[in-house]
Amino acid sequence: MEKKPIVFLTVPDSLKSRVKGFDLDASILLPVEVEAGSGEGGDENAGLARVDSASLSLEMILSGMLRVIAGDFDGGAHTPRITERWLDYYRALVCAVKPEIYHEFTCAAMVKADNEDFDTALEINAILEGLFPRSPGVLLNKALILEKKAAFVEKDGAEGGGGDAWNAPEAAYLDALATQPLLPDTLFNAGFFFVRRKRFARARDCFFSYTSLEEEETEEAPEKKKQAQRMLAEINSQHLDEEAYREAYDCIIRGEDEAGLLKIRQFIEKHPKVWNGWFVLGWALRKLARYDAALAAFQKTTELGGGNTDTRNEIAICLMESGDLKGARKELERALQEEPENIKIISNLGVLAMKGGNKDEAAAFFRTALELDPADSLAAHFLAKL
C-alpha cells in the first residue's frame, strides 16, 4: 500500500494545549502525515505546506514523527534538513505524548510475528529502533522476529531451503550481543539460536556467560539457568564446538554432501562415541541416496543415545526408500507418540500411506498437517496430487 506524504509545519497553537509538561520548540518543524495532494499546489512531495489547522490531528503529527524517526519517508525538494537535534526532539515529544509506546509497540510487533506477519512486525520494531536507538530489548526483539521468519521460510520450503534467511537473524543476534547493558535474555536466546544453527562454539560462550550471571529475579529464571547449564554440559561433553563438526554441517546445508562426509568422518575418528556425529553422517548419506549406509549410521546414533524424533524420522525415510514400509511405519508412529503435532512426521506418514497405495489414509494425514499449519507446502502439494 502506498504511503501517505509527509509535510513539515511550524508548531500549531492547537498542539500547545494538548501536550502537558513538555516544552515545545517553535524553531523545529513538525512532520505531519497528510492525504495525497495536501501540500502546496497539490505537490505530494512538498516539505513545507499549508494544511488546514482545523483538520490537523495529534495522530497525524505522531504518525509523521514516527515515520521520520524510522526513516520511512521520501523527502521532496522542499523537505528541511533533519538534524540529530530534531530527531531527538521528535523522540522526546512522541514519548511525552505516548509514554507507553515501548510496551504497546513491542507487544504489537511480537503478536504480528506470532501470526507470521513478519514484514509488519519488523516495520513496528524499526519504529522502536528509531525511537530508542541501540536499545538492548529492541535489538533482541528484532533478532527473535527474524529467527521466527527464517524458521517459517525453512519449514515452508524444500529441505535445506531458507539457508540465506538465517543470515539476517544471526547478524541481529551478534548486534544484540554487542550492546550494553547486555540483557540476560539476549545471551539465553542467542545460545539456543546458535545451537539450532550448529554454531556450538558461539552457543557455548553464550551459555557460559548466562550461567555466570547472578540469578535473575524472575519466576522462570532458575529453570532457564538449568536449561543453559544442561546445554553447556552437552556441548562440552559431546565436543560439538569443534570446527570439523560445524564445517560438516555447513557443507551439507549448502548441498555439498560429499565434502560434508569427509568432514564428519574426521570428527567421528576423534569422537566415535558422540551420537551427533553419527547423525550428521547418516544425514549426508541419506541425502546421497545411500540408504543402507545411512540406516546403519542412524542406528549407531540411537545406540549412543540419540534416539530422538528426528533420528526416528530419518530411519523411517531410509526404510521407506528401501521398501520396508512396515518398519518405516513403526518408526514414524513411535515418533508421533512423542510429538503428536510434529508436522514433518504426520506428512511422512502420509507419504508412507501413498507408497502403500492407501490414498484415503494419505489424504487424511495431509489434511491433518494442513490443519496444524495451513502454510505447509509439502502437505498441500501431495494432497493436490491425490
Side-chain angles (χ1 to χ4, degrees):
M1 189 172 69
E2 189 174 346
K3 301 272 183 162
K4 294 179 180 179
I6 299 287
V7 297
F8 288 81
L9 306 172
T10 56
V11 179
D13 292 335
S14 60
L15 183 63
K16 296 176 183 178
S17 61
R18 299 176 66 181
V19 181
K20 306 295 184 184
F22 186 87
D23 293 329
L24 292 170
D25 188 339
S27 69
I28 297 178
L29 299 176
L30 294 179
V32 180
E33 187 179 67
V34 298
E35 296 297 331
S38 296
E40 288 179 341
D43 180 4
E44 293 184 13
N45 295 315
L48 296 170
R50 295 186 180 91
V51 176
D52 181 9
S53 59
S55 66
L56 188 64
S57 69
L58 188 56
E59 286 69 29
M60 293 165 65
I61 298 171
L62 284 172
S63 295
M65 287 192 292
L66 289 173
R67 282 181 53 194
V68 170
I69 289 167
D72 181 24
F73 81 108
D74 296 322
H78 300 286
T79 300
R81 179 172 170 268
I82 301 168
T83 65
E84 193 59 40
R85 172 174 165 262
W86 281 28
L87 290 174
D88 286 341
Y89 177 78
Y90 296 155
R91 293 180 185 114
L93 181 51
V94 168
C95 290
V97 175
K98 292 187 70 70
E100 297 296 320
I101 193 168
Y102 181 93
H103 175 72
E104 290 175 3
F105 275 39
T106 297
C107 290
M110 301 315 291
V111 166
K112 289 293 184 183
D114 289 340
N115 291 331
E116 298 173 351
D117 186 357
F118 302 110
D119 291 341
T120 303
L122 289 169
E123 283 182 13
I124 296 171
N125 205 71
I127 292 172
L128 290 175
E129 285 186 82
L131 268 176
F132 307 97
R134 304 302 300 165
S135 163
V138 174
L139 294 178
L140 171 58
N141 287 337
K142 180 181 181 180
L144 291 170
I145 294 167
L146 289 168
E147 182 179 4
K148 287 174 184 281
K149 182 178 181 179
F152 174 81
V153 170
E154 183 176 71
K155 181 182 68 173
D156 197 43
E159 179 178 2
D164 291 343
W166 289 104
N167 295 334
E170 183 166 343
Y173 271 115
L174 292 174
D175 191 25
L177 287 167
T179 60
Q180 291 297 329
L182 184 56
L183 297 179
D185 274 352
T186 298
L187 288 168
F188 184 80
N189 286 287
F192 280 99
F193 171 80
F194 289 124
V195 165
R196 184 175 197 168
R197 301 304 301 148
K198 302 297 186 286
R199 305 288 194 267
F200 289 106
R202 286 195 183 278
R204 178 202 59 211
D205 293 343
C206 289
F207 288 132
F208 178 78
S209 297
Y210 183 79
T211 56
S212 301
L213 296 173
E214 292 185 11
E215 200 74 61
E216 294 179 83
E217 294 183 6
T218 60
E219 187 176 332
E220 67 273 12
E223 181 55 36
K224 287 169 68 175
K225 201 159 200 174
K226 287 178 186 176
Q227 290 180 47
Q229 287 167 339
R230 284 195 296 267
M231 290 305 306
L232 187 59
E234 182 176 348
I235 291 169
N236 289 333
S237 65
Q238 298 279 307
H239 309 283
L240 299 179
D241 53 345
E242 290 197 9
E243 192 72 9
Y245 184 88
R246 184 188 65 78
E247 289 179 352
Y249 179 84
D250 286 349
C251 284
I252 298 168
I253 280 288
R254 292 194 300 266
E256 301 167 9
D257 302 316
E258 293 288 359
L261 277 179
L262 292 174
K263 291 291 182 183
I264 202 60
R265 281 178 170 145
Q266 292 172 13
F267 177 83
I268 291 174
E269 280 180 18
K270 289 179 65 179
H271 308 292
K273 294 188 177 181
V274 173
W275 70 261
N276 300 76
W278 289 96
F279 180 88
V280 173
L281 176 65
W283 181 32
L285 289 167
R286 194 266 295 165
K287 287 184 68 185
L288 289 166
R290 292 159 62 178
Y291 298 115
D292 290 342
L295 181 60
F298 289 127
Q299 288 170 338
K300 185 70 173 179
T301 302
T302 301
E303 180 187 318
L304 293 171
N308 54 37
T309 303
D310 285 338
T311 305
R312 289 195 233 295
N313 183 60
E314 291 289 348
I315 289 174
I317 292 172
C318 293
L319 291 171
M320 202 187 309
E321 295 296 337
S322 301
D324 185 357
L325 302 188
K326 186 176 180 181
R329 176 178 284 276
K330 182 180 177 181
E331 293 293 335
L332 289 172
E333 287 179 345
R334 189 174 173 188
L336 194 64
Q337 286 178 347
E338 294 179 5
E339 296 184 26
E341 295 190 356
N342 188 314
I343 295 170
K344 182 166 56 178
I345 301 299
I346 294 170
S347 289
N348 279 340
L349 279 165
V351 173
L352 182 65
M354 281 180 66
K355 284 182 175 289
N358 193 333
K359 293 184 178 182
D360 290 341
E361 184 184 38
F365 279 122
F366 294 135
R367 288 194 192 98
T368 300
L370 288 168
E371 285 174 10
L372 292 169
D373 181 11
D376 188 336
S377 58
L378 184 68
H381 167 73
F382 282 120
L383 191 59
K385 272 184 82 171
L386 288 170

